[in-house]
Amino acid sequence: MLQQGERATSNYASEFCQLARDVEWDRQALLDQFRRGLRGEVKNILVKFPEPKSLNEAISQVVRCNN
């Protein structure tokens, strides 16, 4: 499973999107896997945001969290 690790959320999101093109997962599965790979402190900040409706919206939220 892809993990954010110490890299910026924008780098993690970019790599996740590249890999997501190769799988046939539905929207919810992509969102779940994307969130699962984030660092703990980013996940803690995300609870303040509304539930994203798309992967692009989730990526926008985490990039804002990281900034």
Side-chain angles (χ1 to χ4, degrees):
M1 178 169 76
L2 182 64
Q3 298 286 317
Q4 179 182 1
E6 295 302 315
R7 63 184 144 176
T9 54
S10 57
N11 293 343
Y12 166 70
S14 177
E15 186 173 349
F16 186 90
C17 286
Q18 289 174 358
L19 295 171
R21 287 186 212 124
D22 296 333
V23 296
E24 294 183 20
W25 293 351
D26 65 15
R27 179 190 62 82
Q28 192 60 52
L30 286 171
L31 286 170
D32 290 345
Q33 286 301 312
F34 180 72
R35 277 187 243 138
R36 201 169 277 142
L38 292 168
R39 279 195 310 258
E41 64 264 16
V42 176
K43 291 178 191 178
N44 291 339
I45 295 169
L46 281 179
V47 299
K48 300 174 186 175
F49 288 83
E51 186 72 24
K53 294 179 177 70
S54 68
L55 182 58
N56 286 338
E57 190 175 329
I59 290 168
S60 294
Q61 288 177 349
V62 298
V63 169
R64 279 186 265 151
C65 288
N66 203 161
N67 293 336

